[in-house]
Structure formats: structure tokens, C-alpha cells
Amino acid sequence: MNIVLLGAPGAGKGTQAQKLVDLGLAHISTGDLLRGAVKEGTELGVKAKEYMDAGQLVPDSLVIGLVKERLAKPDVEAGFMLDGFPRNTAQAETLDEMLAELGKPIDAALLVDVKPEVIIERLSGRRTCRACNYTGTKADEVCPRCGGEMYQRDDDKPETIQKRLNTYAEQTEPLIAYYEGKGLLKSVDGDRPVDEVFADVKVALGI
Ligand code: AMP
């Protein structure tokens, strides 16, 4: 099964994706791929960082190349989830072309739906593991999954959060209608405990 995860930053896409990994789906997060490139200091990482720090989208050409490379890896054969990609209509159209060539069409676009006021509270309390990218909260002194160091992403600081939400509303939200038009949209209420949301995710995806 091949899935696109939709929802505002902080809606819980990554958290649900981490649970779907246990069911054998490859987790492809463009945010994680970009942060990896920034950490390694690659040319792409250096270019991407200024957009990320400003709460803006990284240019399509950079992100699409990363996704293409990732989709060529063998673990996507068993199915994959795209988390944070596509982020605008141009990326969605390119993705459709790429997946048609690979013979791996999208089976569902899953919207994790959460109100903006909840998002702001969640993002400012979010902490991420430096080693394995696990997403936790301020309460996690070390990563509950691998024991790694938890840190606050630069773009989870209050001054950037509102900009990211504006970017989402302007550029990414229209994708809900894009996938609805294709008959692929499934929606779950993300403003509930993680396991309850996950139960709904499984029902929505029929797994
Ligand atoms: P995320 O971890 O998905 O919230 O992504 C963090 C940041 O990486 C975003 O605010 C963007 O600057 C950048 N980014 C992630 N995915 C994409 C994408 N598909 N297109 C453009 N920029 C992206």
C-alpha cells in the first residue's frame, strides 16, 4: 500500500507514520531527509537551510530530487508513506508522473486533521531525537525509543511556527481538494490520543 500523509505541521503525521512502519511500510519524510542533508552539510543542505529556517518551502527541484532517489531504494517495494511530500500542487503532479513511471500509484491520501490552535501548542512543545528523529514532547528528557538526545527544531520555535502554518494554508491545504478529486482522500480526527488516532487510521486505510 502506498500512502500520502496530509495535514498541517504538527498534526501528527510523523507519529502515525512511525506506527505504520511497524506494519512494514517505508517512511519517507522529506523534512527528515532535508534535516539529514543540513546536518551533513551537503550543498543541497546548505541551500535548503535558509528556507527551512524562514518557515518557507524548499524549492521543488531540490526536494523532488531527494524523493526520486529515495523511491529508488528497495524497501519501498513493500509499500511506502510519504510524509511532508507533496507540499504543493506542482509537487503532487510531479509525484503522480514519477509513480506512474515506477508503476507504484498512490492508494490513499490520509489527512490527519487538527485545528490550528492545537497545532501551535503542540509544535512549541515538540522535541525531536537527534539520533533517530523520534518525535516526542518537552517531557521526554531522552529519546524513549533509542535513548538519544532530544532537541527543539529551529523551526519549532514560536517565531517560525506561524510562518509555517501560513505556508501550509497557502500552498499545501489545496492538496486536500486535489486528492479528494481523485477519490483518494481519507480523513481522521487527529486531536485525540495517539493510539485512538491510529485505530482510526487503520480503519480508514482498511488494514
Ligand atoms: P517537516 O519536517 O515536514 O515539517 O519539514 C520541515 C521543513 O522542511 C519545512 O518547513 C520546509 O522548509 C522543508 N520541507 C519539507 N518537506 C518539503 C517539501 N515537500 N517541499 C518543500 N519544502 C519541504
Side-chain angles (χ1 to χ4, degrees):
M1 167 167 265
N2 304 327
I3 305 165
V4 165
L5 294 167
L6 293 176
K13 302 185 294 295
T15 302
Q16 294 303 319
Q18 282 162 359
K19 295 181 84 65
L20 287 164
V21 165
D22 297 339
L23 302 177
L25 298 181
H27 179 197
I28 305 178
S29 156
T30 43
D32 286 350
L33 292 172
L34 288 165
R35 280 183 290 279
V38 171
K39 198 162 137 190
E40 283 170 29
T42 64
E43 198 183 324
L44 184 149
V46 172
K47 281 190 199 147
K49 190 174 186 315
E50 59 180 286
Y51 296 95
M52 295 169 80
D53 287 349
Q56 291 168 2
L57 294 185
V58 172
D60 292 347
S61 56
L62 300 182
V63 182
I64 287 167
L66 277 180
V67 172
K68 211 172 212 167
E69 244 174 62
R70 183 63 186 85
L71 285 171
K73 299 213 167 138
D75 64 335
V76 304
E77 288 302 325
F80 58 83
M81 319 153 253
L82 285 163
D83 169 8
F85 185 91
R87 226 33 179 245
N88 58 31
T89 310
Q91 291 183 8
E93 287 168 354
T94 307
L95 177 67
D96 284 344
E97 286 163 21
M98 268 190 313
L99 294 177
E101 270 174 36
L102 292 169
K104 293 185 174 74
I106 295 295
D107 299 299
L110 180 74
L111 171 65
V112 183
D113 204 8
V114 177
K115 290 186 281 300
E117 50 276 24
V118 178
I119 295 282
I120 293 173
E121 201 184 300
R122 276 196 194 174
L123 284 179
S124 44
R126 181 159 84 169
R127 298 292 181 273
T128 305
C129 174
R130 251 188 228 291
C132 76
N133 295 315
Y134 175 88
T135 310
T137 68
K138 272 194 271 202
D140 298 311
E141 282 177 18
V142 294
C143 173
R145 189 162 71 181
C146 78
E149 183 201 346
M150 300 295 282
Y151 78 109
Q152 183 174 36
R153 283 170 39 177
D154 284 342
D155 61 353
D156 282 344
K157 302 202 165 135
E159 56 276 21
T160 315
I161 291 175
Q162 192 54 51
K163 291 188 196 142
R164 292 170 67 206
L165 290 178
N166 294 345
T167 304
Y168 174 77
E170 285 159 18
Q171 301 198 47
T172 312
E173 217 162 33
L175 294 181
I176 297 172
Y178 179 89
Y179 286 108
E180 195 165 28
K182 289 179 180 286
L184 293 175
L185 188 72
K186 316 267 177 200
S187 181
V188 295
D189 174 4
D191 190 8
R192 287 169 313 138
V194 172
D195 288 328
E196 283 179 31
V197 178
F198 190 55
D200 275 6
V201 165
K202 287 196 284 188
V203 172
L205 296 177
I207 53 180

